[in-house]
Amino acid sequence: MHATRRVILASMAGALALPAAASPGPTRAEVLATMKRATAFMTEKAAVHGGYVWSYLPDFSRRWGELEASPTQVWVQPPGTGTMGHLFLDAYHATGDEAYYAAATQAAECLMAGQLPAGGWNYLIDFGGETAKARWYATIGANAWRMEEFQHDWGNATFDDAGSSEAMQFLLRLYLEKREAKFKPALDRALDFVLNSQYPNGGWPQRWPAGRPFTKHGADYTSYITFNDDVAGENIKFLVMVAQTLGDPRVGPAIRRAMEVFVITQQPAPQAGWGLQHRVDDLTPSAARSYEPRALTTHTTAANVGQLMTFYELTGDPKYLARVPQALDWLAKVALPARRPDGRTHPTFLEIGTDRPLYIHRRGSNVVNGEYYADDNPEKTLAHYSSFRLVKLEELRARYAALKATPRDQAAANSPLTHTGPLPRFFANQDFATSDLNGGGTLAPSKASPEAAAKLVADLNAQGYWPTPLVATSHPYQGPGPAVAAPGDYSQTHVGDAWDTSPYPTDKPVMGISTSAFIKNMGVLISAVDGG
């Protein structure tokens, strides 16, 4: 649960708006040839049934998504198969080369093969079958100490980390390209998945249909109304895309209900914020993973304030702005006394009723003997899940003031809810945070310039990929961890002892193949071909 997109309209605004080359660079033919070779390597060597993971060793002896993957697995979670599909479609738009449309089709067929009966997707697809998937969950997944969402196979689809959302957005784009009938049934099932899983109050669970309650808190937190990692925002974005292009009459009411859940879950002043997830019955915040206590959450509150302001731009309805000042006042009240050296301004978690910061720690060395806990001590907090956040409060206040001064008819003058039309031509290189440590944690586009394009043309190796330092790795599975903690302090590390299969940054990176690097590099070359 790490990926977040900035706002629900990010993909509506157009991407790769980069200036045309103003100084000498590679020829168009050289750029096109480089793109073609790099794509051929990914589709012919890296792909499994048309799908992708996040990184590979050059000999493909090991490969990783968010965790180490088996040779029969592909990743749905970005930057995986759906992101690659978006990239191929972007390349098709820039070049008109049908080979890219074929590559996008292969990615879509992979996703369709892994689409679950309910219409959504899990984090990964295993073409080795149920036995192979069960073996992976019982070994690598079960022993990834900090990766609690992978420790069990819930047997259902997830909205977490934009995997299902990106897959369905990509299928929509691909269907709209040529209206090929073979993509429509999967797209229809995906839309039904979003509509059927929505609660009457407008919220969505993290996973659906309900799975088994595997949490240490004794409740299935995945059934709660989820804001974490922009679950609601991503679903709204998909529904807006459908409204904008297909005009399905069911999506308008669903969007309105979804926007309303942000209003009804905002807690009373003076603690006028939100949690990562909220109970369906009384709409109060709830705990989730063992390092996510029941609390109000500052970065979620800031994100939800941003969404409410976007809803005003979609609808012109002032109710979405009505309680924004209360949330901003609460964020101001709970700010740290001074900005931290890393620039962060707020504690992540605040205790309900007291505004006391809750800082997250752990002890032990692996999933068997380790545990997470919260207290009021800001020292030696987790490295893999920060107890501190950057909240750009003044930017939020400035945006609110500008919208408050904008008449409602002007605010929603260009709303995609009332104006049908085509989607943007480019999607893949957005300002999009991911959990891919080897990709730098973001898919934000690299700087496009003639010099950057020339370097990419020169750096593509003889095999057809861009060698990339793999700055993260993981311990190979070697059995269940011991019940007695290993010597050492693992309180601030990404990984525990040698039995912990969680990914971690390494000071001995090896050169390998990165899906994120491919996407970013192709974005630069697409810009060189398309001229912005």
Side-chain angles (χ1 to χ4, degrees):
M1 291 194 289
H2 308 288
T4 54
R5 296 187 192 267
R6 302 302 183 192
V7 293
I8 67 165
L9 295 183
S11 69
M12 308 298 175
L16 289 174
L18 300 169
S23 59
T27 66
R28 178 182 176 87
E30 288 173 328
V31 172
L32 290 174
T34 300
M35 292 172 60
K36 202 71 171 282
R37 281 211 306 127
T39 298
F41 177 86
M42 294 302 288
T43 57
E44 297 170 11
K45 302 296 184 182
V48 173
H49 294 272
Y52 303 86
V53 294
W54 296 357
S55 55
Y56 312 76
L57 291 183
D59 63 358
F60 296 102
S61 59
R62 297 185 74 188
R63 62 191 72 201
W64 293 267
E66 190 162 11
L67 287 170
E68 183 166 5
S70 74
T72 59
Q73 289 178 343
V74 302
W75 233 249
V76 179
Q77 179 188 3
T81 303
T83 322
M84 290 288 280
H86 276 309
L87 185 280
F88 293 137
L89 203 52
D90 291 355
Y92 177 61
H93 288 166
T95 66
D97 189 332
E98 291 292 333
Y100 295 113
Y101 183 81
T105 296
Q106 291 168 7
E109 290 172 344
C110 174
L111 291 171
M112 290 189 294
Q115 188 176 26
L116 296 174
W121 286 264
N122 191 15
Y123 297 98
L124 56 92
I125 301 168
D126 197 326
F127 287 97
E130 289 301 312
T131 299
K133 184 176 71 167
R135 182 168 57 248
W136 184 87
Y137 271 101
T139 55
I140 293 172
N143 285 277
W145 183 13
R146 67 182 178 87
M147 313 297 293
E148 295 181 5
E149 59 271 41
F150 292 103
Q151 291 173 5
H152 305 274
D153 182 6
W154 294 74
N156 54 12
T158 181
F159 288 115
D160 185 34
D161 277 0
S164 287
S165 179
E166 180 155 78
M168 61 185 70
Q169 291 169 29
F170 165 57
L171 287 177
L172 174 62
R173 286 185 74 208
L174 191 61
Y175 171 70
L176 292 171
E177 193 66 37
K178 297 185 179 183
R179 303 276 176 162
E180 286 197 71
K182 65 181 179 180
F183 301 123
K184 191 63 162 53
L187 176 59
D188 288 342
R189 286 195 296 274
L191 178 57
D192 288 343
F193 171 62
V194 176
L195 296 174
N196 293 338
S197 60
Q198 186 181 33
Y199 292 129
N201 63 22
W204 279 281
Q206 187 205 77
R207 302 187 71 104
W208 192 80
R212 293 172 58 191
F214 281 120
T215 86
K216 296 181 179 179
H217 300 287
D220 177 12
Y221 72 84
T222 67
S223 67
Y224 295 149
I225 297 166
T226 302
F227 296 113
N228 191 22
D229 289 329
D230 207 20
V231 163
E234 282 291 322
N235 286 341
I236 293 171
K237 185 171 85 170
F238 172 66
L239 293 176
V240 169
M241 290 169 66
V242 172
Q244 188 179 355
T245 57
L246 298 180
D248 191 306
R250 298 174 295 169
V251 303
I255 292 168
R256 293 282 181 168
R257 289 193 301 273
M259 294 190 293
E260 186 66 21
V261 82
F262 285 76
V263 175
I264 65 175
T265 53
Q266 186 176 5
Q267 297 302 286
Q271 288 189 303
W274 290 264
L276 295 173
Q277 53 280 312
H278 289 239
R279 293 177 58 91
V280 179
D281 50 6
D282 63 9
L283 305 180
T284 58
S286 176
R289 292 177 293 184
S290 53
Y291 43 86
E292 294 170 329
R294 179 176 180 268
L296 292 170
T297 315
T298 52
H299 65 290
T300 304
T301 297
N304 285 8
V305 165
Q307 295 285 21
L308 288 172
M309 291 191 281
T310 297
F311 299 160
Y312 181 66
E313 294 173 319
L314 284 171
T315 66
D317 192 333
K319 74 179 179 182
Y320 297 116
L321 298 182
R323 294 190 60 209
V324 164
Q326 292 182 11
L328 296 177
D329 288 346
W330 178 72
L331 287 171
K333 176 185 175 185
V334 300
L336 296 167
R339 186 181 290 256
R340 288 170 51 84
D342 60 6
R344 303 199 177 199
T345 56
H346 286 69
T348 298
F349 297 114
L350 281 303
E351 188 176 57
I352 296 172
T354 68
D355 281 339
R356 181 176 71 103
L358 298 174
Y359 298 110
I360 313 302
H361 311 271
R362 73 179 186 182
R363 52 192 160 225
S365 66
N366 60 52
V367 72
V368 176
N369 61 57
E371 65 173 344
Y372 289 88
Y373 62 98
D375 62 22
D376 59 1
N377 181 6
E379 303 298 323
K380 296 188 71 172
T381 57
L382 300 182
H384 69 79
Y385 193 98
S386 180
S387 285
F388 304 93
R389 304 287 162 155
L390 171 61
V391 175
K392 298 180 179 179
L393 188 56
E394 294 311 310
E395 290 184 15
L396 292 172
R397 288 197 187 278
R399 185 183 177 196
Y400 169 75
L403 289 176
K404 188 69 175 174
T406 304
R408 57 190 302 177
D409 58 334
Q410 294 181 25
N414 298 310
S415 171
L417 292 182
T418 54
H419 293 74
T420 59
L423 299 176
R425 295 172 65 223
F426 301 112
F427 264 63
N429 286 87
Q430 298 181 38
D431 186 6
F432 181 21
T434 77
S435 300
D436 182 11
L437 298 176
N438 284 318
T442 179
L443 281 182
S446 302
K447 184 178 180 180
S449 67
E451 294 79 11
K455 188 174 190 308
L456 291 176
V457 170
D459 287 350
L460 192 72
N461 69 10
Q463 287 73 37
Y465 67 89
W466 286 285
T468 304
L470 301 185
V471 297
T473 187
S474 63
H475 297 310
Y477 172 72
Q478 58 176 358
V484 177
D489 181 1
Y490 300 95
S491 62
Q492 294 182 280
T493 59
H494 275 72
V495 70
D497 59 30
W499 287 267
D500 182 5
T501 55
S502 301
Y504 64 92
T506 176
D507 58 2
K508 297 179 180 179
V510 298
M511 302 302 288
I513 303 154
S514 166
T515 302
S516 286
F518 173 80
I519 293 165
K520 293 177 185 179
N521 294 345
M522 286 285 287
V524 172
L525 298 180
I526 285 171
S527 181
V529 169
D530 187 72

